[in-house]
Structure formats: C-alpha cells, structure tokens
Amino acid sequence: MTSTHAFWLAGRQATGEATFDVTSPWDGRLVGQVSVPSDAQVEAAVAAAHAVRDEFAATPAHVRAVALDHVSRRLVERTEEIAQLISAENGKPVKWARGEVGRAVSVFRFAAEEARRFNGGEAQRLDTDAGGVGRLALTRRFPKGAVLGIAPFNFPLNLCAHKIAPAIAVGAPIILKPAPATPLSGLIIGELLAETDLPAGSWSVLPVPNDKMPALVQDERLPVISFTGSDKVGYAIMDSVPRKHCTLELGGNGAAVVLGDFAGEQDLDWAATRIATFSNYQGGQSCISVQRVIADATVYDRLLPKIVAAVEAQVTGDPSDSATDVGPLVSEDAAKRVESWVDEAIQTGAKLLAGGKRDGASYAPTVLADVPADSTIACEEVFGPVLTVRKVDGEAEAFAAVNDSKYGLQAGVFTHDVQTAFRAHRALEVGGVIIGDVPSYRADQMPYGGAKQSGVGREGVRFAMDDYTYERVLVLTGLAL
C-alpha cells in the first residue's frame, strides 16, 4: 500500500513531478504516495474533455452501459481490497467500508440500467391549437457539457461514484477531483474505467490540491459543477460562477424525532439502537448522521437511558478490526474541533451524559442534554460522533424544532401513524423524510439533496443525470397525426 499512485489523465495513467503522502488517521502510517498533476497536465485533461464532448454525447448507449456494468462487476471482485484501502486512508471501520463498496457497486449498476433507458424521448402533439396542425414535438435530453466533480473525504469511493457514473451514463465528460486526504479510492475507479472502451478524454481523475480548485471551477470549458462538502465552500463556488450549473450537496444537522405513539419497549429499543448506531457510524462524519434527537415528553425519560446505554456500547478502536463500530476522525485537527465544540456546550450549561473525551484523532461517542440553543454544536454541523437530546411537548413543537435550523438535508420521524407521516412530509423543511427510522437512510437510486443551506439540486443516479443534461425540443412539421 505504500507505492506511488499515478493519476488518470484523459483515460491514461500519468505522473507529475510532485507527490504527496496519504497517511492513516488511526496510526499515522504511510498508506501511499500520490503523484500530483502539473498545471500543464490539468490543462491537457480539461482540453481533452472539452474536445471529446460531442463524440462522447453521441456514443451508443450500450457502450456506456457496458463500461458502467464492467466497473460494477470489478468492484465486486475487489471488494475486500478496496474496503481495506478505504479504511486505511479514511479511518473508517472496515465493516462500514465494505458497505461503502457495496453501495458503489449499486451506483454503477443503476447508472448502467439508466443509460440503457435514458433519452427515449417524449412525443407531444402540437395540434391542440390550430397553428400546430401537423406538428409533433419530440423532447430529448443532451449533456450541458463537461462536468467537474469535486468529492469529499467521508465516502471516498461512493461519492466519487455518484459524480462519475451519472456523467458517463449521459455521455458527459467528467474531471473528478477526489479529496486530498483520501484520493486513493477515487484512483481505483480510474483503474477500472481504464479497462473499458470509453473514448479517450471522456474522464480524468486528478488529485490536485485544494488551492488549484478555483482555476478548475472558473474554467468555462467545465459548465457543470457537482460538489459535495461544506456549505461555506459550496456556496463560495456557486457565487464565483453564477452562470454555471452547480449541484451542491452540503451539510446538515440531522434530526431524529421520536413521537409519543412510538412508545412500546421494542419501539424505544429500536429507536435507541438506530440513533446510537447512526450518530456514530463513519465517526459521525456523514451529512445525514443523527446529530439531534427530539423526543416527546411522554417517552423522553424512558428513551434517554436507552440511547446512552446504546451509545456506550459502541465499540471504538482500530478501524481494521471488523468488530470496531467507531474509528478515528479524518484527522487530529477534526477531533480537536469536535472537542472544542463539546467543551463550549458544557461550559454554557449542557449536561454530558456519555463520552466527551479525545485521544489523538479519535473522539469518544458522546451524548449531551440541555444544550443551549445558541451553542455552536446546536447550530452547526458537528461532523463527529456527538449527539444532542431534547424534550418537546407534542408533534407541532417537535416539527418546529427540526425546522429551527439553517440546514435541511434529511429528518427521521419515529411514528406508527400514517397521517403523521404525511404531515411530517408536508411540514419538515428538508430534502428527505424517513419514517420509522433515522435520517441517515439513503438509497443510492433515490433523489438525495437538501433545502435551505443544505444545498441545491439532487444526486441519486437518474436525478444527477437530469442535472447534467438539458431538454432540447425537435418539432416535426407536415405530419398526418
């Protein structure tokens, strides 16, 4: 795992003069060296993507679908190897890393399926008015142009897949920029794409440093930007290129609501287990991890000790151990930030019920109650294994508490009442409402994105394909309809 990794320029391996080290956040060991593309090589990749855009858009659907199917199959074959790589560079427990590989397998498979049925065209008679007699409109979708995909560190394989697979499915060239902390998983996708017959120039994987990103963002030959990361960076990108199409999947502070009808012992055990697991999975480094629990007063006193016990039962430690539930954060600096936010909350009146300790890049699974509403941890995305709990009186107060946030990615509502489910769907200002479970559920084929400062646009294979394309109408004249 310590060899120098080449990058992928216009579908071919290449190396630059500089390299950087990828180290494990768990023990600091060297995981690999990555070659950095020069400015000239980045220019070559962008020029190639721009030059091939018409050719790639016209590529038969079966060619794109076969390539996507190939990547899906090869990910299956290399699951354990790639899971170990994700765990090493990211610090993610290997059991969660295996799950991430499985999700990427599905993303490429879904994209292959969508590529085969995408753009069948929609016919519309225009003779509904006299001026349209003999006319038929045929609407199809065409790529907006080459895509710049900017991926984060927390799902270093699957969120790269969510950039690349939809682009290939619609025939849009893509330049992928993986996160500097975790580039190796994205480079693996390059290895697998290189085994296909996709046109040269239709894809590149460039591990450029973050300070090189603005030039790529500004390049007019990349009219579509798909970014996953912080709201600060995402909106700065959008503000800097107001005439480009930007899909932004940004932060959240996911709420799990437990209502009064979810009151049986099995109900509360289920809710507590799911909340504990998904406030801590990936070290809490997921945009839809459970950060806030909002519980009805009628169940709060019974639910809280169950949550604390379930959180304390989370197994922490070496991410390469299959028994580990919670590994380190991506860096010691990330853990120090979480520590400072928790300390601030405690100093201003929050009660520490579990955790609250840091060891290097690791932070213990933590539960806080009575958190002041204006504390940083109540207002911002913690992106760490920290959970806050709050008591409310009734559904209306619970839903208002969910909406009392600048974010709106997903929310979970534990209820058995279908009418409540529909009220939640109408009332909650989020991109997704999960009934009977935590907000952390995501199926990779469903539309995924947020409201308010959680972003714009939608991921999920078919929905990203829509974002990467636009409608173009063909009007046929003189037909006997």
Side-chain angles (χ1 to χ4, degrees):
M1 280 193 182
T2 56
S3 59
T4 299
H5 297 259
F7 52 86
W8 295 92
L9 194 168
R12 303 288 184 267
Q13 272 193 320
T15 57
E17 295 181 359
T19 63
F20 68 91
D21 292 342
V22 178
T23 58
S24 165
W26 168 247
D27 57 14
R29 67 186 171 88
L30 181 66
V31 179
Q33 273 193 335
V34 174
S35 185
V36 180
S38 66
D39 291 347
Q41 288 170 317
V42 172
E43 164 59 27
V46 175
H50 184 68
V52 81
R53 66 193 189 284
D54 291 339
E55 176 191 346
F56 194 33
T59 303
H62 74 87
V63 173
R64 288 177 271 120
V66 165
L68 292 162
D69 272 329
H70 173 83
V71 175
S72 181
R73 288 194 302 271
R74 293 286 283 133
L75 287 170
V76 172
E77 294 168 2
R78 297 177 64 176
T79 291
E80 188 60 25
E81 170 202 348
I82 297 171
Q84 295 291 342
L85 182 64
I86 292 171
S87 183
E89 70 170 343
N90 173 276
K92 180 176 301 192
V94 71
K95 71 176 185 180
W96 292 114
R98 293 182 184 118
E100 181 175 347
V101 179
R103 289 181 61 188
V105 168
S106 296
V107 168
F108 279 96
R109 187 180 74 249
F110 295 150
E113 294 166 355
E114 293 292 350
R116 291 185 172 96
R117 58 177 168 252
F118 185 70
N119 229 346
E122 179 182 345
Q124 181 183 17
R125 292 179 66 134
L126 301 179
D127 60 356
T128 49
D129 285 320
V133 172
R135 295 180 187 267
L136 183 77
L138 180 67
T139 303
R140 297 164 62 199
R141 300 190 71 90
F142 293 86
K144 294 172 179 174
V147 177
L148 172 61
I150 305 170
F153 71 81
N154 57 327
F155 289 86
L157 180 76
N158 195 42
L159 292 183
C160 287
H162 270 286
K163 309 302 181 191
I164 289 179
I168 291 173
V170 301
I174 181 165
I175 295 190
L176 176 73
K177 179 197 174 303
T182 57
L184 303 178
S185 302
L187 293 172
I188 286 281
I189 295 177
E191 286 184 33
L192 306 184
L193 286 171
E195 298 169 355
T196 72
D197 295 324
L198 293 175
S202 59
W203 60 272
S204 295
V205 182
L206 303 180
V208 296
N210 286 340
D211 62 5
K212 299 290 186 182
M213 187 169 71
L216 279 169
V217 167
Q218 293 291 332
D219 198 303
E220 293 183 357
R221 295 167 295 178
L222 302 172
V224 179
I225 298 174
S226 178
F227 171 84
T228 302
S230 73
D231 56 327
K232 180 180 179 181
V233 175
Y235 285 117
I237 289 173
M238 176 177 277
D239 291 344
S240 72
V241 285
R243 290 177 177 81
K244 288 194 177 191
H245 177 90
C246 294
T247 298
L248 305 179
E249 196 280 283
L250 307 178
N253 55 0
V257 176
V258 184
L259 293 175
D261 71 298
F262 213 80
E265 288 302 313
Q266 288 185 337
D267 290 340
L268 297 180
D269 286 342
W270 162 258
T273 298
R274 297 293 285 178
I275 287 166
T277 298
F278 288 97
S279 63
N280 294 292
Y281 84 127
Q282 329 288 338
Q285 297 169 122
S286 168
C287 297
I288 46 176
S289 67
V290 185
Q291 183 170 332
R292 299 181 290 156
V293 175
I294 299 164
D296 189 270
T298 59
V299 298
Y300 180 90
D301 289 339
R302 293 163 55 215
L303 175 65
L304 184 56
K306 292 177 182 287
I307 290 174
V308 172
V311 167
E312 291 179 335
Q314 295 286 300
V315 178
T316 61
D318 186 345
S320 67
D321 186 338
S322 293
T324 297
D325 299 312
V326 187
L329 276 70
V330 71
S331 68
E332 186 169 359
D333 284 345
K336 287 179 177 178
R337 178 191 54 77
V338 173
E339 179 182 42
S340 70
W341 288 14
V342 171
D343 289 348
E344 176 205 46
I346 293 170
Q347 289 164 9
T348 55
K351 294 179 181 177
L352 178 66
L353 303 180
K357 296 180 180 179
R358 182 180 65 83
D359 181 7
S362 296
Y363 197 80
T366 296
V367 181
L368 296 170
D370 301 332
V371 176
D374 60 351
S375 64
T376 304
I377 213 162
C379 302
E380 301 294 337
E381 179 181 37
V382 65
F383 227 59
V386 180
L387 182 66
T388 68
V389 290
R390 173 180 174 181
K391 183 191 299 186
V392 294
D393 290 317
E395 175 188 308
E397 187 176 339
F399 290 174
V402 173
N403 289 339
D404 186 20
S405 170
K406 66 180 181 180
Y407 297 111
L409 193 47
Q410 292 197 160
V413 181
F414 289 89
T415 181
H416 295 297
D417 190 302
V418 69
Q419 296 291 350
T420 301
F422 277 90
R423 287 195 296 271
H425 196 205
R426 182 174 62 248
L428 298 180
E429 298 166 352
V430 294
V433 178
I434 315 300
I435 300 299
D437 206 349
V438 291
S440 318
Y441 176 79
R442 178 185 181 184
D444 291 284
Q445 71 272 37
M446 77 183 197
Y448 177 75
K452 298 189 282 190
Q453 292 188 36
S454 286
V456 295
R458 291 294 180 267
E459 290 194 338
V461 176
R462 182 173 67 81
F463 304 93
M465 291 166 68
D466 287 344
D467 258 4
Y468 292 172
T469 57
Y470 70 100
E471 293 174 320
R472 187 186 298 168
V473 177
L474 174 70
V475 176
L476 301 174
T477 303
L479 301 178
L481 296 177

